[in-house]
Short mmCIF file of all heavy atoms in Angstrom, two decimals:
data_model
loop_
_atom_site.label_atom_id
_atom_site.label_comp_id
_atom_site.label_asym_id
_atom_site.label_seq_id
_atom_site.Cartn_x
_atom_site.Cartn_y
_atom_site.Cartn_z
N GLY H 563 96.29 105.59 105.34
CA GLY H 563 97.71 105.59 104.98
C GLY H 563 98.42 104.44 105.59
O GLY H 563 98.08 103.96 106.73
N VAL H 564 99.48 103.97 104.91
CA VAL H 564 100.39 102.97 105.47
C VAL H 564 101.79 103.55 105.36
O VAL H 564 102.21 103.90 104.25
CB VAL H 564 100.26 101.61 104.79
CG1 VAL H 564 101.32 100.67 105.32
CG2 VAL H 564 98.86 101.02 105.01
N VAL H 565 102.49 103.63 106.50
CA VAL H 565 103.83 104.20 106.53
C VAL H 565 104.81 103.04 106.66
O VAL H 565 104.60 102.16 107.52
CB VAL H 565 103.99 105.16 107.69
CG1 VAL H 565 105.38 105.72 107.81
CG2 VAL H 565 102.96 106.32 107.61
N ASP H 566 105.81 103.03 105.86
CA ASP H 566 106.83 101.99 105.97
C ASP H 566 108.22 102.64 105.81
O ASP H 566 108.34 103.81 105.58
CB ASP H 566 106.59 100.87 104.95
CG ASP H 566 106.73 101.33 103.51
OD1 ASP H 566 107.71 102.05 103.15
OD2 ASP H 566 105.89 100.93 102.70
N PHE H 567 109.24 101.85 105.91
CA PHE H 567 110.61 102.32 105.91
C PHE H 567 111.30 102.16 104.53
O PHE H 567 112.52 102.19 104.48
CB PHE H 567 111.40 101.66 106.99
CG PHE H 567 111.01 102.08 108.38
CD1 PHE H 567 110.03 101.38 109.06
CD2 PHE H 567 111.54 103.23 108.94
CE1 PHE H 567 109.65 101.81 110.32
CE2 PHE H 567 111.15 103.67 110.19
CZ PHE H 567 110.21 102.94 110.89
N SER H 568 110.56 102.04 103.46
CA SER H 568 111.15 102.00 102.15
C SER H 568 110.91 103.32 101.47
O SER H 568 109.81 103.87 101.51
CB SER H 568 110.52 100.88 101.32
OG SER H 568 110.87 101.02 99.95
N LYS H 569 111.94 103.83 100.83
CA LYS H 569 111.76 105.12 100.13
C LYS H 569 111.30 104.96 98.64
O LYS H 569 110.99 105.89 97.99
CB LYS H 569 113.09 105.91 100.14
CG LYS H 569 113.45 106.44 101.49
CD LYS H 569 114.59 107.37 101.46
CE LYS H 569 114.85 107.90 102.85
NZ LYS H 569 115.08 109.31 102.84
N THR H 570 111.17 103.69 98.24
CA THR H 570 110.77 103.43 96.86
C THR H 570 109.28 103.66 96.73
O THR H 570 108.48 102.98 97.41
CB THR H 570 111.11 101.97 96.48
OG1 THR H 570 112.49 101.72 96.71
CG2 THR H 570 110.77 101.68 95.06
N PRO H 571 108.86 104.55 95.82
CA PRO H 571 107.42 104.84 95.68
C PRO H 571 106.71 103.65 94.97
O PRO H 571 107.36 102.90 94.20
CB PRO H 571 107.38 106.09 94.78
CG PRO H 571 108.67 106.09 94.09
CD PRO H 571 109.69 105.41 94.96
N PRO H 572 105.41 103.46 95.24
CA PRO H 572 104.69 102.41 94.59
C PRO H 572 104.49 102.71 93.10
O PRO H 572 104.44 103.86 92.71
CB PRO H 572 103.37 102.41 95.36
CG PRO H 572 103.21 103.82 95.82
CD PRO H 572 104.59 104.32 96.13
N VAL H 573 104.39 101.63 92.36
CA VAL H 573 104.18 101.77 90.90
C VAL H 573 102.99 100.88 90.54
O VAL H 573 102.92 99.73 90.85
CB VAL H 573 105.44 101.29 90.14
CG1 VAL H 573 105.19 101.35 88.63
CG2 VAL H 573 106.65 102.13 90.48
N ARG H 574 102.03 101.50 89.90
CA ARG H 574 100.85 100.75 89.43
C ARG H 574 101.28 99.97 88.20
O ARG H 574 101.85 100.51 87.25
CB ARG H 574 99.74 101.70 89.09
CG ARG H 574 98.51 100.97 88.69
CD ARG H 574 97.31 101.92 88.49
NE ARG H 574 96.30 101.20 87.77
CZ ARG H 574 95.31 101.76 87.17
NH1 ARG H 574 95.23 103.06 87.08
NH2 ARG H 574 94.45 101.01 86.52
N LYS H 575 101.02 98.70 88.20
CA LYS H 575 101.42 97.79 87.12
C LYS H 575 100.23 97.39 86.29
O LYS H 575 99.07 97.55 86.68
CB LYS H 575 102.09 96.50 87.65
CG LYS H 575 103.33 96.83 88.46
CD LYS H 575 103.93 95.59 88.99
CE LYS H 575 105.19 95.95 89.78
NZ LYS H 575 105.83 94.78 90.42
N ALA H 576 100.52 96.88 85.11
CA ALA H 576 99.45 96.36 84.22
C ALA H 576 99.70 94.86 84.10
O ALA H 576 100.37 94.46 83.12
CB ALA H 576 99.50 97.06 82.86
N PRO H 577 99.25 94.06 85.01
CA PRO H 577 99.55 92.64 84.98
C PRO H 577 98.75 91.92 83.84
O PRO H 577 97.68 92.35 83.47
CB PRO H 577 99.03 92.15 86.34
CG PRO H 577 97.99 93.11 86.72
CD PRO H 577 98.39 94.43 86.16
N GLY H 578 99.37 90.85 83.37
CA GLY H 578 98.73 90.06 82.39
C GLY H 578 97.73 89.09 83.03
O GLY H 578 97.71 88.96 84.27
N PRO H 579 96.91 88.41 82.23
CA PRO H 579 95.89 87.55 82.79
C PRO H 579 96.48 86.33 83.53
O PRO H 579 95.83 85.76 84.39
CB PRO H 579 95.14 87.04 81.56
CG PRO H 579 95.90 87.41 80.37
CD PRO H 579 96.88 88.51 80.78
N GLU H 580 97.70 85.97 83.28
CA GLU H 580 98.32 84.87 83.99
C GLU H 580 99.12 85.27 85.21
O GLU H 580 99.49 84.40 86.03
CB GLU H 580 99.30 84.09 83.03
CG GLU H 580 98.65 83.58 81.76
CD GLU H 580 97.56 82.56 82.09
OE1 GLU H 580 97.79 81.68 82.92
OE2 GLU H 580 96.48 82.65 81.44
N ASP H 581 99.31 86.56 85.43
CA ASP H 581 100.06 87.05 86.58
C ASP H 581 99.27 86.82 87.85
O ASP H 581 98.06 87.10 87.89
CB ASP H 581 100.43 88.50 86.44
CG ASP H 581 101.42 88.75 85.31
OD1 ASP H 581 102.12 87.81 84.97
OD2 ASP H 581 101.44 89.87 84.78
N GLU H 582 99.92 86.41 88.94
CA GLU H 582 99.24 86.19 90.19
C GLU H 582 99.14 87.44 91.03
O GLU H 582 98.32 87.52 91.94
CB GLU H 582 100.02 85.10 91.00
CG GLU H 582 99.89 83.74 90.40
CD GLU H 582 100.51 82.71 91.28
OE1 GLU H 582 100.70 82.97 92.51
OE2 GLU H 582 100.84 81.63 90.76
N GLY H 583 99.95 88.44 90.78
CA GLY H 583 99.95 89.69 91.56
C GLY H 583 99.91 90.85 90.67
O GLY H 583 99.78 90.79 89.48
N GLY H 584 100.09 92.06 91.29
CA GLY H 584 100.19 93.26 90.57
C GLY H 584 98.90 94.02 90.34
O GLY H 584 98.85 95.00 89.58
N ARG H 585 97.79 93.57 90.99
CA ARG H 585 96.53 94.19 90.75
C ARG H 585 96.08 95.11 91.91
O ARG H 585 95.03 95.74 91.85
CB ARG H 585 95.43 93.14 90.52
CG ARG H 585 95.63 92.36 89.23
CD ARG H 585 94.60 91.27 89.06
NE ARG H 585 94.84 90.63 87.79
CZ ARG H 585 95.78 89.69 87.56
NH1 ARG H 585 96.61 89.38 88.49
NH2 ARG H 585 95.88 89.15 86.35
N GLY H 586 96.83 95.12 92.97
CA GLY H 586 96.47 95.84 94.23
C GLY H 586 96.19 97.35 94.00
O GLY H 586 95.16 97.90 94.39
N LEU H 587 97.12 98.02 93.34
CA LEU H 587 96.96 99.48 93.15
C LEU H 587 95.92 99.77 92.11
O LEU H 587 95.30 100.82 92.18
CB LEU H 587 98.34 100.12 92.81
CG LEU H 587 99.34 100.10 93.95
CD1 LEU H 587 100.64 100.75 93.48
CD2 LEU H 587 98.78 100.84 95.19
N ALA H 588 95.67 98.86 91.18
CA ALA H 588 94.53 99.07 90.24
C ALA H 588 93.20 99.04 91.01
O ALA H 588 92.32 99.86 90.74
CB ALA H 588 94.55 98.00 89.16
N LEU H 589 93.12 98.14 91.99
CA LEU H 589 91.97 98.05 92.83
C LEU H 589 91.79 99.31 93.66
O LEU H 589 90.69 99.86 93.78
CB LEU H 589 91.99 96.82 93.68
CG LEU H 589 90.84 96.55 94.63
CD1 LEU H 589 89.55 96.36 93.80
CD2 LEU H 589 91.14 95.34 95.48
N VAL H 590 92.92 99.75 94.27
CA VAL H 590 92.86 100.99 95.05
C VAL H 590 92.37 102.15 94.18
O VAL H 590 91.59 102.99 94.56
CB VAL H 590 94.23 101.27 95.69
CG1 VAL H 590 94.30 102.66 96.29
CG2 VAL H 590 94.57 100.21 96.69
N THR H 591 92.88 102.21 92.93
CA THR H 591 92.48 103.27 92.04
C THR H 591 90.98 103.23 91.76
O THR H 591 90.34 104.29 91.68
CB THR H 591 93.24 103.16 90.68
OG1 THR H 591 94.64 103.28 90.99
CG2 THR H 591 92.86 104.24 89.72
N GLU H 592 90.44 102.10 91.64
CA GLU H 592 88.94 101.98 91.36
C GLU H 592 88.12 102.37 92.58
O GLU H 592 87.06 102.95 92.43
CB GLU H 592 88.62 100.54 90.96
CG GLU H 592 89.04 100.23 89.56
CD GLU H 592 88.36 101.16 88.52
OE1 GLU H 592 87.13 101.34 88.57
OE2 GLU H 592 89.09 101.66 87.66
N LEU H 593 88.60 102.02 93.76
CA LEU H 593 87.79 102.27 94.98
C LEU H 593 87.94 103.67 95.58
O LEU H 593 87.00 104.19 96.13
CB LEU H 593 88.13 101.21 96.07
CG LEU H 593 87.76 99.78 95.71
CD1 LEU H 593 88.32 98.86 96.80
CD2 LEU H 593 86.27 99.63 95.58
N ALA H 594 89.13 104.25 95.45
CA ALA H 594 89.40 105.52 96.13
C ALA H 594 89.17 106.70 95.18
O ALA H 594 89.24 106.57 93.96
CB ALA H 594 90.89 105.53 96.58
N GLU H 595 88.91 107.81 95.79
CA GLU H 595 88.77 109.10 95.00
C GLU H 595 90.16 109.48 94.50
O GLU H 595 90.27 110.17 93.48
CB GLU H 595 88.16 110.17 95.86
CG GLU H 595 86.72 109.93 96.18
CD GLU H 595 85.85 109.93 94.95
OE1 GLU H 595 86.03 110.73 94.05
OE2 GLU H 595 84.91 109.10 94.92
#
């Protein structure tokens, strides 16, 4: 877990092929149960 001081929940995005970011939670979804 990572605890931070923002109350905004994370949102999994569907980045396009040209986007530089937005793939982190997709990777977490693939690796984690």
Side-chain angles (χ1 to χ4, degrees):
V564 174
V565 178
D566 64 46
F567 290 93
S568 169
K569 291 189 176 225
T570 305
V573 176
R574 184 175 165 199
K575 298 179 182 177
E580 302 298 317
D581 293 336
E582 290 186 21
R585 292 176 179 79
L587 291 178
L589 180 61
V590 170
T591 300
E592 285 300 313
L593 294 174
E595 291 297 320

